[in-house]
Protein backbone atom coordinates (compact mmCIF):
# COMPACT_ATOMS: atom_id res chain seq x y z
CA UNK A 1 0.00 0.00 0.00
CA UNK A 2 1.36 3.38 -1.02
CA UNK A 3 0.66 6.33 1.25
CA UNK A 4 1.18 9.90 0.10
CA UNK A 5 2.04 12.42 2.79
CA UNK A 6 3.13 15.38 0.69
CA UNK A 7 0.42 17.65 -0.74
CA UNK A 8 -2.26 15.75 1.20
CA UNK A 9 -2.78 12.24 2.54
CA UNK A 10 -3.65 9.61 -0.07
CA UNK A 11 -3.77 5.83 0.02
CA UNK A 12 -3.31 3.61 -3.02
CA UNK A 13 -3.39 -0.16 -3.46
CA UNK A 14 -2.18 -1.57 -6.77
CA UNK A 15 -2.62 1.84 -8.38
CA UNK A 16 -6.19 2.42 -7.23
CA UNK A 17 -7.11 4.95 -4.59
CA UNK A 18 -8.60 3.90 -1.27
CA UNK A 19 -10.61 6.93 -0.23
CA UNK A 20 -10.63 7.62 3.47
CA UNK A 21 -13.37 9.99 4.48
CA UNK A 22 -12.53 12.42 7.16
CA UNK A 23 -9.33 14.15 8.10
CA UNK A 24 -9.06 12.31 11.41
CA UNK A 25 -8.96 8.94 9.62
CA UNK A 26 -6.26 10.26 7.30
CA UNK A 27 -4.39 11.84 10.21
CA UNK A 28 -4.47 8.59 12.17
CA UNK A 29 -2.97 6.65 9.25
CA UNK A 30 -0.35 9.37 8.68
CA UNK A 31 0.57 9.33 12.36
CA UNK A 32 0.96 5.56 12.36
CA UNK A 33 3.16 5.43 9.24
CA UNK A 34 5.38 8.18 10.66
CA UNK A 35 5.66 6.60 14.11
CA UNK A 36 8.47 4.21 15.08
CA UNK A 37 7.32 0.68 14.31
CA UNK A 38 4.15 2.10 12.73
CA UNK A 39 2.29 1.66 15.98
CA UNK A 40 0.65 3.70 18.70
CA UNK A 41 -1.35 3.11 21.83
CA UNK A 42 -5.00 4.03 21.96
CA UNK A 43 -4.06 6.54 24.67
CA UNK A 44 -1.63 8.27 22.30
CA UNK A 45 -4.24 8.43 19.54
CA UNK A 46 -6.95 9.81 21.85
CA UNK A 47 -4.56 12.46 23.16
CA UNK A 48 -3.40 13.37 19.66
CA UNK A 49 -6.74 13.58 17.86
CA UNK A 50 -9.23 14.44 20.62
CA UNK A 51 -7.14 16.35 23.14
CA UNK A 52 -9.93 18.78 23.96
CA UNK A 53 -12.74 16.23 24.25
CA UNK A 54 -13.97 14.47 27.38
CA UNK A 55 -12.17 11.18 27.86
CA UNK A 56 -15.22 8.92 27.39
CA UNK A 57 -16.30 10.79 24.26
CA UNK A 58 -12.76 10.75 22.85
CA UNK A 59 -12.44 6.99 23.40
CA UNK A 60 -15.83 6.40 21.76
CA UNK A 61 -14.77 8.53 18.79
CA UNK A 62 -11.57 6.53 18.43
CA UNK A 63 -13.46 3.21 18.59
CA UNK A 64 -15.84 4.41 15.87
CA UNK A 65 -12.99 5.65 13.69
CA UNK A 66 -11.08 2.36 14.06
CA UNK A 67 -14.21 0.40 13.13
CA UNK A 68 -14.66 2.52 9.99
CA UNK A 69 -10.98 2.05 9.06
CA UNK A 70 -11.14 -1.72 9.61
CA UNK A 71 -14.21 -2.04 7.38
CA UNK A 72 -12.74 0.25 4.72
CA UNK A 73 -9.46 -1.68 4.64
CA UNK A 74 -11.23 -5.04 4.51
CA UNK A 75 -13.44 -3.93 1.60
CA UNK A 76 -10.41 -2.62 -0.28
CA UNK A 77 -8.47 -5.83 0.35
CA UNK A 78 -5.85 -4.02 2.40
CA UNK A 79 -4.06 -6.14 4.96
CA UNK A 80 -1.74 -5.00 7.69
CA UNK A 81 -3.97 -3.00 10.03
CA UNK A 82 -3.95 -4.47 13.55
CA UNK A 83 -6.21 -3.23 16.31
CA UNK A 84 -6.37 -4.60 19.83
CA UNK A 85 -7.48 -3.29 23.21
CA UNK A 86 -4.28 -1.30 23.77
CA UNK A 87 -2.63 -0.66 20.40
CA UNK A 88 -3.18 0.15 16.77
CA UNK A 89 -0.49 -0.71 14.25
CA UNK A 90 0.31 -1.07 10.59
CA UNK A 91 2.49 -3.80 9.14
CA UNK A 92 5.75 -2.14 8.04
CA UNK A 93 6.19 -4.70 5.26
CA UNK A 94 2.91 -3.64 3.65
CA UNK A 95 2.94 0.16 3.85
CA UNK A 96 5.36 2.53 2.10
CA UNK A 97 5.17 6.31 1.91
CA UNK A 98 6.31 8.89 -0.59
CA UNK A 99 8.58 10.15 2.20
CA UNK A 100 10.20 6.70 2.43
CA UNK A 101 10.84 6.78 -1.31
CA UNK A 102 12.22 10.31 -1.15
CA UNK A 103 14.63 9.42 1.67
CA UNK A 104 15.73 6.28 -0.17
CA UNK A 105 16.43 8.36 -3.30
CA UNK A 106 18.73 10.61 -1.26
CA UNK A 107 20.52 7.54 0.13
CA UNK A 108 21.19 6.47 -3.46
CA UNK A 109 22.52 9.93 -4.31
CA UNK A 110 19.65 10.54 -6.73
CA UNK A 111 17.19 12.86 -4.97
CA UNK A 112 13.74 12.64 -6.56
CA UNK A 113 12.44 15.72 -8.34
CA UNK A 114 9.89 16.28 -5.59
CA UNK A 115 12.72 17.26 -3.22
CA UNK A 116 14.43 19.65 -5.62
CA UNK A 117 11.46 21.29 -7.27
CA UNK A 118 9.71 22.73 -4.27
CA UNK A 119 11.32 25.05 -1.74
CA UNK A 120 11.01 23.71 1.81
CA UNK A 121 9.28 20.54 0.71
CA UNK A 122 8.75 19.54 4.32
CA UNK A 123 6.22 22.39 4.65
CA UNK A 124 4.00 20.38 2.29
CA UNK A 125 4.10 17.35 4.60
CA UNK A 126 0.53 16.78 5.84
CA UNK A 127 -0.85 20.11 4.61
CA UNK A 128 -4.32 21.02 5.80
CA UNK A 129 -3.99 19.21 9.10
CA UNK A 130 -2.69 22.14 11.11
CA UNK A 131 -6.11 22.89 12.58
CA UNK A 132 -7.27 19.32 13.25
CA UNK A 133 -6.50 19.34 16.99
CA UNK A 134 -3.99 21.38 19.01
CA UNK A 135 -2.01 18.25 19.91
CA UNK A 136 -1.91 17.04 16.32
CA UNK A 137 -0.88 20.53 15.17
CA UNK A 138 2.11 20.45 17.53
CA UNK A 139 3.04 16.94 16.40
CA UNK A 140 2.86 17.92 12.70
CA UNK A 141 5.13 20.93 13.23
CA UNK A 142 7.67 18.87 15.14
CA UNK A 143 7.52 16.07 12.54
CA UNK A 144 8.06 18.53 9.66
CA UNK A 145 11.15 19.93 11.34
CA UNK A 146 12.44 16.45 12.17
CA UNK A 147 12.04 15.34 8.55
CA UNK A 148 13.69 18.57 7.33
CA UNK A 149 16.69 17.93 9.58
CA UNK A 150 16.87 14.30 8.44
CA UNK A 151 16.84 15.35 4.77
CA UNK A 152 19.54 17.95 5.36
CA UNK A 153 21.72 15.41 7.16
CA UNK A 154 21.31 12.83 4.40
CA UNK A 155 21.95 15.35 1.63
CA UNK A 156 25.06 16.65 3.39
CA UNK A 157 26.36 13.09 3.71
CA UNK A 158 25.79 12.50 0.01
CA UNK A 159 27.42 15.82 -0.90
CA UNK A 160 30.52 14.80 1.07
CA UNK A 161 30.73 11.56 -0.94
CA UNK A 162 33.33 12.23 -3.63
CA UNK A 163 32.40 9.18 -5.71
CA UNK A 164 29.53 10.98 -7.45
CA UNK A 165 30.03 12.69 -10.78
CA UNK A 166 29.57 16.41 -11.34
CA UNK A 167 25.96 16.12 -12.49
CA UNK A 168 24.90 14.06 -9.46
CA UNK A 169 26.80 16.34 -7.08
CA UNK A 170 25.11 19.42 -8.55
CA UNK A 171 21.69 17.78 -8.22
CA UNK A 172 22.37 16.87 -4.59
CA UNK A 173 23.61 20.41 -3.84
CA UNK A 174 20.63 22.01 -5.59
CA UNK A 175 18.27 19.83 -3.55
CA UNK A 176 20.09 20.70 -0.33
CA UNK A 177 19.78 24.42 -0.93
CA UNK A 178 16.08 24.34 -1.87
Amino acid sequence: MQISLFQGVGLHVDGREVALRGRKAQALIAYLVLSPGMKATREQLVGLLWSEAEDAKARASLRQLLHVLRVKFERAGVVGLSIDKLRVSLDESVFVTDLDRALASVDRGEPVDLLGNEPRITDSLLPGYDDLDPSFTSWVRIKRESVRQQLIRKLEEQLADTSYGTTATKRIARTLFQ
Side-chain angles (χ1 to χ4, degrees), residues 81-165:
L81 173 65
S82 297
I83 302 169
D84 65 30
K85 289 182 179 184
L86 299 176
R87 296 188 200 316
V88 179
S89 64
L90 298 173
D91 184 337
E92 293 177 282
S93 68
V94 174
F95 295 86
V96 65
T97 69
D98 53 355
L99 176 60
D100 296 329
R101 289 189 305 275
L103 292 171
S105 75
V106 173
D107 287 341
R108 291 188 310 271
E110 303 167 351
V112 294
D113 291 338
L114 172 72
L115 296 176
N117 291 342
E118 185 164 334
R120 291 203 45 112
I121 186 64
T122 54
D123 289 346
S124 70
L125 183 70
L126 301 175
Y129 294 86
D130 296 284
D131 62 347
L132 189 66
D133 182 278
S135 291
F136 194 79
T137 298
S138 296
W139 176 80
V140 167
R141 289 181 181 153
I142 292 166
K143 183 52 76 173
R144 285 177 184 156
E145 182 58 23
S146 170
V147 169
R148 189 177 82 75
Q149 292 297 324
Q150 185 179 14
L151 278 169
I152 289 170
R153 214 172 23 259
K154 285 179 173 286
L155 287 163
E156 286 174 341
E157 288 170 5
Q158 294 302 329
L159 200 55
D161 186 341
T162 58
S163 67
Y164 294 113

Side-chain angles (χ1 to χ4, degrees), residues 12-37:
H12 296 84
V13 176
D14 299 326
R16 68 182 158 79
E17 184 176 7
V18 176
L20 289 180
R21 295 182 192 208
R23 293 185 316 145
K24 290 213 178 184
Q26 296 166 354
L28 186 145
I29 296 299
Y31 180 77
L32 288 173
V33 298
L34 291 171
S35 294

